[in-house]
Amino acid sequence: MSTRSRIGELTGWRAVLFAFAAGAVSATGFAPLEFFPALLLGYAALVLLLDGAAATPRPLRRAAVLGWTFYFGQFLTGWHWIAYSFLIYPDANLWELPLALLLPAGVALFGALACGLAALFWREGAGRIFIFACMAALSEWLRGHLFTGFPWNLSGYGWGASLALMQSASLMGAYGLSFLTILLGASLALLARARWRLPAALFLLFALLWGYGAYRTATTPTPDVPGVSIRLVQPDIPQAEKYVRALMPRNWQRLMALSLQPPAKGQKAPSHIVWPEAATGFAVARSSGALDQIALLTARGQSLITGSDRVIRDGEGITAYNSLYLFRPGGGLPLTYDKFHLVPFGEYVPAADILNHLGISQLTVGSSFARGDHPHVLDAGIAPPMTPLICYEVIFPHAVIDPKEPRPGWLVNITDDSWFGPWAGPRQHFLIARFRAIEEGLPIARAANTGISAMIDPLGRVRARLDLNRMGVVDAALPVALAPPPYARFGDLIFLLLMVTGAFISCMLGRK
């Protein structure tokens, strides 16, 4: 009997510990390590554990426990960077550090639900592989939509090391690619009993997807927009220093100096300058001195795009937004965009009255932000119209542009990834942005406070970048947008068709 076939025979704490370890190791399939075999083998191990659960007196409960434990291990390892946000202001937030366990533990309930539902229909043979893949992929879609959603490290992102396979997102989106990825990984469980036909067929499918992606990247032209040059400013200001009043003049001068820096040899002078999320540390529109300097900065025909708080005072008090300002040449009346997908505990506190009574507050400085309405398209002057995305708004598939508005020519993602730590979090966020570019067929100009800042073309290729914890600028031409790929046109309909097909195949195999 092979080692893998023995996995289903594990019982008690041994099975639970193995599930946690398999989940933790599977997380190495995501950025920054991108060791995709670990992700695939993790799902195979979970299927073998569920085989063992199916033989117990209480299979549903056992499957749910194993599913929760596996996904808790995966999320805890993959999302360990969440703990860094509690260390920015340790005097206020360090005691809340154990709460960093709550997000992986809570979101792992979706995995428990998936495995519990799969146990309802479990059967011998290849049918259970499709059952598991459907339930696991459905759980990913649900965690991306329910309770404000958190679609971070979807299974499809395990292919971040392969630009060619990433192109599949243009057809079926991250959720569709996740379904096929889970299906491939789960099918490896069949090899424990020397059943190789389904794994071989799925490897062939992925070989075809790779071929499609390689052909797409080799043959799709991505010319530049004439006359447009984008400067992405990365000031590398530590988060703990951004809102210190005594340091704000220094931070401002750093932004200005980087913006005025001469272009590198062979580069055009920038037509658009992009600063990161909350770049100024203060409400820029309420500072006459800052507005005067912006007018001088843009006096020669440049536009400035920057993140900043937007504060409105009225008879009912003060309302603050996490906003993006677009200052057109001359620093005239700016266009504004308000972030609509806010970060729980970072930008607002859910059930604030109850949690504040317990002493649990938001992690950022200042009061909670109000919510904007939806994505907008802004007139960017000589550049095509653009849609702003502030920080983690970029993580939501098929929710980065509003179908009721005209299609933009590019996306601008401003972010402050210093909250995400110095390693895994920013790299995962960056990879997610590349997937959005592929899904929508749109280039993304990404300006991050401490990195990664980059120009991403509509095929997800990185034209130019400045890595983590470096101060500087990225000067790059703006690629032309592609025609809307299938996912941009049909959204999750293709994912739904894959799910229905998987369920149908499972039923057919169950009748044999």
Side-chain angles (χ1 to χ4, degrees), residues 76 352 401:
L76 184 66
I401 60 176

Side-chain angles (χ1 to χ4, degrees), residues 227-250:
V228 176
S229 178
I230 310 297
R231 168 163 291 184
L232 308 172
V233 174
Q234 185 168 298
D236 193 30
I237 298 170
Q239 187 59 232
E241 297 179 5
K242 179 179 287 189
Y243 299 100
V244 177
R245 186 173 297 275
L247 297 177
M248 285 184 180
R250 181 207 69 178

Side-chain angles (χ1 to χ4, degrees), residues 328-349:
R328 289 177 286 193
L333 188 67
L335 302 177
T336 60
Y337 163 77
D338 300 322
K339 185 177 182 180
F340 73 95
H341 216 132
L342 302 178
V343 181
F345 298 104
E347 294 169 321
Y348 77 101
V349 179

